[in-house]
Amino acid sequence: MPLNRRTFLESSVAVGAGAALTTGVAAVPAQAHGPAPRPARRYSFTVMGTTDLHGNVFNWDYFTDKEFDDKAHNDVGLAKISTLVDQVREAKGRCNTLLIDAGDTIQGTQLSYYYAKVDPITARRGPVHPMAQAMNAIGYDAAALGNHEFNYGIPVLRKFEEQCDFPLLGANALDAKTLRPAFPPYSMHRLRTPHGRDVKVAVLGLTNPGIAIWDKANVSGKMVFPGLEEQAAKWVPRLRSMGADVVVVSAHSGSSGTSSYGDQLPHIENAAGLVAEQVPGIDAILVGHAHTEISEYRVRNKETGKDVVLSEPLKWGQRLTLFDFDLVWEKGRWVVEKVGAQVLNSNTVEEDPEIVGLLADEHRKVVAYVNQIIGTSSATMATADAPWKDEPIIDLINHVQAETVKQALAGGAYAALPVLSQASCFSRTAAIPAGQVTIRDAAGLYVFENTLEARLLTGAQIKDYLEFSARYYVQTPAGAPVDTAKLTNAGGTPDYNYDVVYGVTYEIDIARPAGSRIVNLSFGGKPIDPAAQFVLAVNNYRASGGGAFPHVAGAQQLWANSDEIRNTIIQWVKAKGSIDPGQFASVDWRLTRDGVPVF
């Protein structure tokens, strides 16, 4: 793959020419004999960071068609981040700041989807991506690649890269044939000080090795993604030898040292903490991918004994990380004396009117697009209770998926096999209203760009799959009160990693320990045959190992589709013209305790 137009081995960015902020130095009493020693030369600067912006420019929810809000009253979007950035630059001096990102930029909202699929940036004389426009206007200095950057294919990513005024970094995104970096591994930035010698700050970008699984269709044979620790160990010494006084890593990888896809890959998904611990020479790591908030987290490097400071700002532009560096001049070079981190909340400021005005037309186009009417519904359906009840709205997803797979396999060797389907509750606020149904209503059921596959499983494997899924519930003894606010997400399992399976009937006994909860699993009114074969309609994330569900990743693939499941649902509604839950909805699973239904 071609390298970024900014040749990474020689790139050096001068950041302003003004005087730097300095820390106060206490006066030293003169010695009885001889002149007083000169005070130490010091310099301070700040690296600001965002991550997992996921296509959010405005504080707007395109699926509800209103201003974004959640229980914590967070705000989202680059327009808010821009205001915070301006405040920091005013306080510190712009020449004493850098602004970086840790990836997952061009996927996640209908705004980003529209300019990838509906009015694609790759078209001849196509538009400039809204995220590129906003980030250029704000003045980003570098951004790491996230795994979702590859969702729309490499051509879209390359066009986005071309439109950015800053480099997209990925030291562990390699060309599959040459094993050379397919993107710039790092960027080098010069901060001018009042003391003569500039401070050289290297930003090393690392992305997630899970790309090889999650976007296999887009990257297989084109790129490979080795482990973060391996590539950091290769590049950090090089950056130091090139004169970097400070090394900051922007890693699209969580800090926990875990993986959500089990042993499907030999590399760790959430490896930022391991990088800090194992690779000497790193001063700070901007963490991404995990969608958690870490204001400041210190990891001691095993070799040097020095702390590495990690920080992860909350997703979607809800927070801005600040790494504050204090340097001192020692023995002819700048040495990091102190590093601290904090996060700023974007709900404390207004949107930057410059960013709002810059992308007002794009916003209006997308709002009009998502409000197009595609059909009608005879009843209201909602996901509010879907995490603990078999709800018609989840049956709709599964019905469309099963029907699509049946049509795809018709006339083939597997046409006679029964088709089951899996689905998750991605949002507890999604709804299909009675009456007119819009694109945003249908799209809100499936907020991810997953595609559909068909995998071959046995009855025994389906039972194992369901047992694994049922770990989602907190064990609750018979007779004990049931609080739905505390019933789900056991062990930190997110809603999107709880699957229901459509086409079979079963009970989940939440009084039992995880691993032995599936009761009365039946197909066609009879106990399921462990040896019987079934086709499972499944999303590509799950089929590729996402969530570490058993059997499915290694199961034979019978069919795969390149179109998003979200679009499949939209097209199904358009073709039918109307949605009647009576035609597909039924209660096929329920929570029980000792055979007694919980609800």
Side-chain angles (χ1 to χ4, degrees):
M1 305 301 295
L3 289 177
N4 185 281
R5 64 187 183 278
R6 305 165 184 82
T7 306
F8 66 84
L9 288 177
E10 296 179 355
S11 62
S12 179
V13 183
V15 185
L21 293 177
T22 58
T23 57
V25 180
V28 180
Q31 299 295 317
H33 302 286
R38 296 178 62 183
R41 286 181 285 180
R42 285 185 162 84
Y43 174 67
S44 299
F45 71 96
T46 297
V47 176
M48 298 174 281
T50 55
T51 190
D52 297 279
L53 293 168
H54 284 288
N56 285 280
V57 172
F58 302 95
N59 188 44
W60 192 261
D61 186 340
Y62 291 97
F63 293 124
T64 61
D65 199 27
K66 60 185 179 182
E67 187 172 304
F68 176 88
D69 194 24
D70 61 13
K71 291 180 180 179
H73 300 298
N74 287 303
D75 287 347
V76 300
L78 278 170
K80 292 267 185 173
I81 290 295
S82 182
T83 302
L84 288 176
V85 168
D86 284 347
Q87 290 179 352
V88 174
R89 285 171 173 163
E90 183 176 355
K92 307 281 186 177
R94 178 163 186 150
C95 55
N96 304 312
T97 65
L98 294 171
L99 176 60
I100 64 175
D101 183 79
D104 276 6
T105 304
I106 60 171
Q107 175 278 338
T109 64
Q110 286 292 283
L111 180 71
S112 54
Y113 177 82
Y114 186 89
Y115 287 98
K117 292 286 191 176
V118 182
D119 185 11
I121 61 174
T122 50
R124 188 167 179 260
R125 297 180 181 176
V128 177
H129 199 288
M131 295 301 287
Q133 291 190 60
M135 295 174 81
N136 289 342
I138 295 169
Y140 273 78
D141 294 290
L145 294 165
N147 54 285
H148 283 288
E149 259 65 84
F150 294 84
N151 284 175
Y152 297 120
I154 292 174
V156 170
L157 175 54
R158 287 297 187 192
K159 187 64 178 180
F160 175 70
E161 178 188 30
E162 178 185 314
Q163 293 176 343
C164 290
D165 293 339
F166 52 90
L168 300 183
L169 308 178
N172 61 328
L174 309 181
D175 181 271
K177 294 180 180 179
T178 66
L179 298 183
R180 296 185 63 186
F183 294 86
Y186 67 88
S187 58
M188 193 75 79
H189 309 266
R190 289 182 179 271
L191 301 177
R192 296 179 182 174
T193 78
H195 302 300
R197 184 175 184 262
D198 295 346
V199 171
K200 293 179 70 175
V201 182
V203 179
L204 178 68
L206 297 170
T207 192
N208 205 289
I211 295 166
I213 285 180
W214 303 323
D215 270 302
K216 182 178 180 180
N218 291 327
V219 301
S220 181
K222 299 174 184 177
M223 293 186 192
V224 294
F225 303 89
L228 283 83
E229 310 100 299
E230 169 193 330
Q231 293 301 303
K234 173 183 176 180
W235 284 102
V236 172
R238 293 190 186 185
L239 297 174
R240 290 293 184 181
S241 69
M242 293 166 60
D245 301 296
V246 180
V247 173
V248 178
V249 173
S250 184
H252 192 75
S253 180
S255 62
S256 65
T258 62
S259 290
S260 67
Y261 48 81
D263 59 359
Q264 297 300 311
L265 263 185
H267 305 300
I268 300 297
E269 176 184 358
N270 297 304
L274 296 175
V275 171
E277 181 183 77
Q278 297 176 11
V279 181
I282 298 170
D283 296 297
I285 300 179
L286 178 65
V287 178
H289 182 63
H291 288 203
T292 57
E293 181 177 339
I294 303 172
S295 179
E296 180 183 278
Y297 175 50
R298 293 179 178 270
V299 175
R300 181 149 296 182
N301 184 266
K302 285 185 174 180
E303 183 173 325
T304 66
K306 295 181 179 180
D307 282 353
V308 180
V309 177
L310 286 71
S311 181
E312 181 176 6
L314 199 57
K315 64 187 185 297
W316 306 346
Q318 295 179 47
R319 304 289 186 273
L320 175 70
T321 277
L322 305 185
F323 290 106
D324 292 311
F325 293 87
D326 294 334
L327 276 59
V328 62
W329 182 264
E330 288 183 355
K331 298 179 181 179
R333 66 188 184 95
W334 287 110
V335 176
V336 174
E337 189 174 44
K338 180 183 176 183
V339 185
Q342 60 177 308
V343 294
L344 304 181
N345 194 330
S346 67
N347 73 6
T348 62
V349 298
E350 298 298 320
E351 292 185 323
D352 183 343
E354 179 184 345
I355 302 302
V356 172
L358 179 69
L359 293 165
D361 287 344
E362 287 83 350
H363 176 66
R364 282 193 290 267
K365 285 181 182 178
V366 176
V367 168
Y369 163 73
V370 299
N371 281 290
Q372 291 180 45
I373 297 169
I374 56 174
T376 61
S377 176
S378 63
T380 298
M381 297 179 285
T383 57
D385 294 336
W388 49 84
K389 289 183 182 178
D390 187 348
E391 290 288 299
I393 197 166
I394 304 299
D395 288 343
L396 172 61
I397 298 172
N398 273 319
H399 179 73
V400 172
Q401 291 182 165
E403 191 175 274
T404 301
V405 168
K406 286 176 184 176
Q407 292 174 356
L409 298 180
Y414 301 96
L417 291 181
V419 177
L420 313 180
S421 179
Q422 63 79 220
S424 303
C425 176
F426 293 131
S427 167
R428 297 192 184 193
T429 59
I432 297 291
Q436 293 180 336
V437 177
T438 63
I439 284 178
R440 68 177 172 83
D441 295 326
L445 298 183
Y446 222 103
V447 297
F448 298 107
E449 271 73 28
N450 293 340
T451 58
L452 187 61
E453 297 189 14
R455 296 282 178 132
L456 184 64
L457 275 76
T458 66
Q461 290 174 329
I462 292 294
K463 186 174 188 297
D464 288 346
Y465 190 100
L466 288 169
E467 287 286 10
F468 184 84
S469 184
R471 80 199 192 287
Y472 172 74
Y473 294 105
V474 174
Q475 188 173 0
T476 309
V482 176
D483 181 356
T484 56
K486 300 177 181 178
L487 178 63
T488 62
N489 307 103
T493 303
D495 290 349
Y496 64 76
N497 272 344
Y498 170 61
D499 288 0
V500 300
V501 173
Y502 176 85
V504 292
T505 59
Y506 58 97
E507 298 171 10
I508 302 174
D509 191 332
I510 60 173
R512 298 186 180 188
S516 59
R517 292 177 169 173
I518 302 303
V519 180
N520 297 327
L521 177 59
S522 303
F523 173 74
K526 299 178 180 178
I528 199 166
D529 180 356
Q533 290 187 317
F534 296 89
V535 177
L536 180 65
V538 59
N539 70 55
N540 68 305
Y541 173 76
R542 190 70 78 235
S544 62
F549 277 64
H551 308 305
V552 66
Q556 181 181 350
Q557 184 190 77
L558 306 181
W559 173 83
N561 190 12
S562 61
D563 202 13
E564 293 94 348
I565 294 170
R566 176 166 60 205
N567 273 347
T568 302
I569 296 171
I570 291 169
Q571 296 306 318
W572 186 89
V573 175
K574 281 184 175 180
K576 296 290 184 181
S578 62
I579 303 171
D580 179 5
Q583 296 181 355
F584 56 79
S586 59
V587 179
D588 296 324
W589 67 273
R590 56 171 47 92
L591 301 185
T592 61
R593 291 183 293 184
D594 296 339
V596 179
V598 176
F599 301 105

